[in-house]
Each structure stands twice: as structure tokens, then as C-alpha cells.
Amino acid sequence: MRKTLLTSRFVRLILLVMAVLGSHPTASARRVGVYCYMSGTGSEVCRDRKVEVRLVLSPTGHALVEVENLTDDVVFVDRGRSFAWVNGLSATMFLPSSHTETHTQGYGTVEHDIHHVTWISGESHSDSQTVYDRRILPVAPHGTAVVYEWRRLPQLMRKDMIRVGSDGSLFSSKCRGAFLTPSTAAGAATDTDSGKKFKKGDRRAYAAEASPLTLAADVQYSLSEDGSQPVRAYVTDYVSSVVVGGSEGVGKNGILRTFMPHALGGKQCFGFRSGKSSGLIVGEIASLAFVVAIPLAIGSQSFDEPDWVSKHSW
């Protein structure tokens, strides 16, 4: 009887673990091996009495330029006269483009013949239209709109300062990377090595003028659709520190140890966080709560957030 009870409890535990992991796959997928902390000094937000322009990080690691309309009127953002900066290089936020949308509708009619045989006759109709991206982007009163997005932030980092390994693939679960230059922030520990492969516990601090990734946005908006009396808002943010750590760890040879490839829901190599965040990627806390609460037999895993991140200002 005792053996049967233990077996029953074990089966229920296994089923519960499988249900949690199946319903919260992102709890594993969002764990990373290298944390890139943005400065979060306040310069990533620009606010006046009409709008608030800000740089934010999405849960998937992209960076967004958001414009919030603080007025009761429509605000018009001129993306053709707005610019996005990456490490000092600028590009207009608007590139003329279009895409085609096709909609198909089907119709069915129930019919009868003289012999009371019933059948359904049908036909379909397709309608295609070309949708052009708009240069002037209206923002609703007290609404928020994304006016630009930087994708794949790791690939935007300066290749002369840091080497970024690719995420795990179907054929490999290894990710390599290396620091190519030492810390640049005043007061940071001097690192004389160059080309050092990542290993758990490594870190670098960077100054604003010498960071591996600096983002900026110069946004022009107006309360008139014709663009009269334009106003400009400027925001910027940069990677102020990089920490190598994570629940999976990084070996001395610079290889990120992953349970499964990222393409199959495994871990990412790089994760970006705001300097104001508590350390967990946005949207991850709720998912992790379910996983941490269960005493898994595979061993406990936790995020390695060194004390130096919160106790030191670079």
C-alpha cells in the first residue's frame, strides 16, 4: 500500500511538471548566458507637455522607439524627418515600402432539385490590395505608437569591441563569444587581455562614449498633419555593462552550455536588460514562478546576478 501511494504521488508530480513546462515554455527560452545592461540613466526618456518619447526593450530582445500622446488631439510623427542612430550611424526611420494583402471569401447555397436531392453549390471571391507604409504616423489622443524598432540587438554591437556568437541551431547547441577590448568606464577594473573567450563571472563596464552598443532616436512630430510648427525629441541609451553568467553557465572555453538549441526553444546567447530593471527579462517573472515552485529532480537553477551590478555605478 505504501509503495503504491509513493508511486501515485510520483506520477502526479511528473504530470504536474510536464503540464507546467508545456504551458510555460518561455520560462526556459528566455534564460540567457550573457546579460547586456543598458544604462537606464533617464536619457532614454524625453517628455514635454505634448508627448513622451522613450526607448524600451521588448521581451524578445529588440529595442523600440515609442511615442505616447499626452494631449487630447492627434499627434503626427514625421518618420521621414526622424532618425535612428546605431553607434553613431544614422538612418531615416521611414523607407518607402509596400505589401500586398489578399482576402478570400467563400459563399455556399443550399439547393434542391425536383427529386428532392439536396446539395450545396458554392463559389469564392478573392480581393487583393496594396498597402503602403505611411511616412506620417498619427498617434491617437492619449495613445501610444511604436515608430521604430531595432531588431537583433546582438548583431548591432561593435565587432571591434565584442565578438557575438550565434544562438544555438538545429545542428549545434554551442554559442561562442569573446571580449575584444577591456572595460572603458572610469574606475572599472583594468582588463589587459584581448580576445578573451567568455566564461562565467566575466564582466565589462563601459562609458557612454566608448560602449559596444549605443542607440539614439531623433523624432520629429507636430500637432498638424501638414507638419507645421514641428518639434523634435531626442533620446539615447547605451550598453553600460556586460555580465557573463546565467542558469546554464559558460564553460572556460567560451561555449554556452544549453539544454537544447534555441531554434527548439532553448536558451539565447544574449539578453538585454534596462539598467532600471530588477534583473529579470520583462515577462519572465510570472513564468518562472511556476517552475521554481516545483522541486525538479534535474537540480535547481537560478540567475547569476552579481552584486557589482546593483552596488556600483560606472
Side-chain angles (χ1 to χ4, degrees), residues 163-184:
R163 184 168 70 246
V164 178
S166 59
D167 288 335
S169 65
L170 288 171
F171 308 101
S172 174
S173 61
K174 298 177 181 179
C175 169
R176 302 174 185 273
F179 292 110
L180 304 182
T181 57
S183 299
T184 62

Side-chain angles (χ1 to χ4, degrees), residues 14 26 31 38 40 68 89 118-119 129 152 189 236 299 303:
I14 294 299
T26 56
R31 296 191 180 190
M38 306 299 284
E68 181 179 358
L89 300 177
T118 302
W119 75 93
Q129 62 177 350
R152 299 184 61 80
T236 184
F303 285 91

Side-chain angles (χ1 to χ4, degrees), residues 226-244:
D226 61 5
S228 59
Q229 298 181 331
V231 181
R232 306 197 72 88
Y234 182 81
V235 288
T236 184
D237 206 354
Y238 68 96
V239 171
S240 59
S241 58
V242 177
V243 182
V244 179

Side-chain angles (χ1 to χ4, degrees), residues 3 80 104 112 131 159 199 228 249 252 254 256 295:
K3 182 180 297 185
T104 302
H112 308 274
V131 179
K159 294 178 174 55
K199 69 177 182 180
S228 59
K252 294 182 179 180
L256 175 65

Side-chain angles (χ1 to χ4, degrees), residues 74-233:
V74 178
V75 166
F76 298 92
V77 177
D78 189 343
R79 296 194 296 167
R81 295 181 179 272
S82 301
F83 302 92
W85 301 72
V86 177
N87 297 329
L89 300 177
S90 68
T92 179
M93 289 187 178
F94 176 72
L95 295 175
S97 61
S98 63
H99 64 277
T100 302
E101 295 182 353
T102 302
H103 304 277
T104 302
Q105 291 181 321
Y107 306 89
T109 304
V110 178
E111 300 184 10
H112 308 274
D113 62 8
I114 59 176
H115 301 290
H116 303 289
V117 176
T118 302
W119 75 93
I120 298 178
S121 63
E123 61 180 9
S124 61
H125 174 71
S126 297
D127 180 25
S128 298
Q129 62 177 350
T130 301
V131 179
Y132 296 90
D133 290 341
R134 292 176 294 180
R135 168 177 167 174
I136 306 299
L137 182 66
V139 184
H142 302 286
T144 300
V146 175
V147 299
Y148 193 78
E149 180 180 14
W150 290 282
R151 301 185 64 85
R152 299 184 61 80
L153 291 184
Q155 302 304 321
L156 300 180
M157 299 182 74
R158 288 180 50 177
K159 294 178 174 55
D160 62 326
M161 297 187 69
I162 189 170
R163 184 168 70 246
V164 178
S166 59
D167 288 335
S169 65
L170 288 171
F171 308 101
S172 174
S173 61
K174 298 177 181 179
C175 169
R176 302 174 185 273
F179 292 110
L180 304 182
T181 57
S183 299
T184 62
T190 302
D191 303 302
T192 58
D193 55 337
S194 179
K196 179 182 178 181
K197 293 181 179 179
F198 291 149
K199 69 177 182 180
K200 194 171 184 178
D202 284 345
R203 55 185 180 265
R204 293 291 188 277
Y206 299 99
E209 63 275 10
S211 171
L213 179 62
T214 301
L215 303 176
D218 184 358
V219 179
Q220 177 173 304
Y221 71 92
S222 173
L223 293 180
S224 301
E225 191 171 4
D226 61 5
S228 59
Q229 298 181 331
V231 181
R232 306 197 72 88

Side-chain angles (χ1 to χ4, degrees), residues 281-299:
I281 299 176
V282 177
E284 189 174 50
I285 300 177
S287 296
L288 283 177
F290 289 93
V291 178
V292 175
I294 299 176
L296 298 179
I298 59 176

